Amino acid sequence: MAGVTDKPFRQLCRRLGAALAVSEMVAADTSLWGTRKSIRRLDHEGEEGPIAVQLLGSDPEMMARAAAFNASLGAQIIDINMGCPAKKVCRKAAGSALLDDEGRVREILRAVVAAVDVPVTLKIRTGRDPANRNGARIARIAERSGIQALTVHGRTRACGFSGEAEYDTIRAIKQSVSIPVIANGDIDTPEKARHVLALTGADALMIGRAARGRPWIFRDIAHFLQTGRSRPEPDPSWVVDILLDHLGRLYDFYGENQGVRIARKHITWFSKRHPEAAQFRSIINRTDSAKQQLQHVRNFFLGLQAKEELAA
Ligand SMILES: Cc1cc2nc3c(=O)[nH]c(=O)nc-3n(C[C@H](O)[C@H](O)[C@H](O)COP(=O)(O)O)c2cc1C
C-alpha cells in the first residue's frame, strides 16, 4: 500500500504474523527513481524474505527492465500492479486501467516473466466495472503467461473504494485457474477472514487497511483459523510497546524530522478506536520532536491501561 507499507511497516507486519508483506508500488519508469522517496522504496536492507516488490507501469519493456533491476537488488518476488484505480495512474494506462486492454496485459506479463528468474505475481481487481467483470479472463491470461499467483481485490476499477467488496467473482476466478489465488478486500476480522476463505476457496488472504493501527490482525487471523477461538484484545500496555518500537524504527529509517511526521498517521491509526482519540491526535499533530512524540504516546496508552485496570 502506497504511503503505508514502507520497510518499517512491512517488518512490523511480518513480526506480527503476516506471511508476506509487499512493497509500496514502485514506478517502472526509472527516470522517476532519483528521488529520496523512490530510493527508500527500493531499500530492503535487513528485511526478512521473501522480499516482494510491486511494479506499476504500462510499457512492457520498461516493466521488464524495472523487474530485472529490482531482482538484481534482491527482490525475490516481482508483483505487478493492475489494481490501482487512482486517476493519475489510470490516465497513464497503468494500474487497473490495464484491465481494459487484455492484449497489453499479456505483453506486460510475458515480458516481465521472461526478464527475471524469480516468481512474478499479479494483483488485479475483478474487472473494469460491474457490467464488465473480466477478471477470470485476465486470470487465464496471467496463468498462461507464467504468473505464479494472483491477488484479486473484490471491487471493479469503476468502484474505486466505494461499496462493499464482493467475493463471488473471486470465487469464479479461483475456479478458472490452477495458480494460487489470494482474496482481498474488506477483510477486517478473523471471522470475516474465515468467511471469505470459505466463500471463495482462495488459497490465501491479503489484508490492507485493517492492518493500519492493528498489525497484529495477521496473528489473530492465523490463530482463529487454526483454533476457532479469538484472541483477547491486546492490553494498551502491550500495544504501546509495539507502537513505541515502531516509532523508533521510523525515526531511524526516515531521520527525526520526516520520521516524526510519518509517525503521526501511525499514531492516529493505533489510537483511533479509543475515546479521546481526536484530542490526542491534535496534540500529536502539533508535536515536532521525537522525544515529545514518544512521551505523548506513552502517556496516552498508559493512561488507557490505568483506566482499564480501574474498571476491571
Ligand atoms: C492508501 C492505500 C494505498 C494503496 N496502495 C496500493 C498499492 O501500492 N498497490 C496495490 O496493489 N494496492 C494498493 N492499495 C489497495 C490495497 O492493496 C487493497 O487492495 C485494498 O485496500 C482493498 O483491501 P483492504 O480492504 O484489505 O484494504 C492501496 C490502498 C490504500 C487504501
Side-chain angles (χ1 to χ4, degrees), residues 1-4 23-25 54 79 81 123 153 155 161 184-187 206-210 212:
M1 278 195 290
V4 185
S23 75
E24 303 170 86
M25 57 191 180
Q54 188 185 66
D79 187 50
N81 182 326
K123 167 107 181 289
H153 174 189
R155 287 185 175 83
F161 279 91
N184 167 244
D186 296 356
I187 301 163
M206 177 181 281
I207 315 286
R209 291 166 295 174
R212 297 184 300 194

Side-chain angles (χ1 to χ4, degrees), residues 95-117:
S96 62
L98 286 164
L99 301 176
D100 277 349
D101 188 346
E102 294 174 15
R104 174 64 67 106
V105 168
R106 186 178 296 108
E107 281 176 44
I108 291 176
L109 300 184
R110 288 196 174 160
V112 173
V113 168
V116 293
D117 292 329

Side-chain angles (χ1 to χ4, degrees), residues 187-195 217 220-222 224-225 230:
I187 301 163
D188 53 3
T189 60
E191 291 78 4
K192 183 89 181 259
R194 184 168 69 182
H195 170 72
I217 189 170
D220 286 0
I221 289 175
F224 184 72
L225 293 177
S230 301

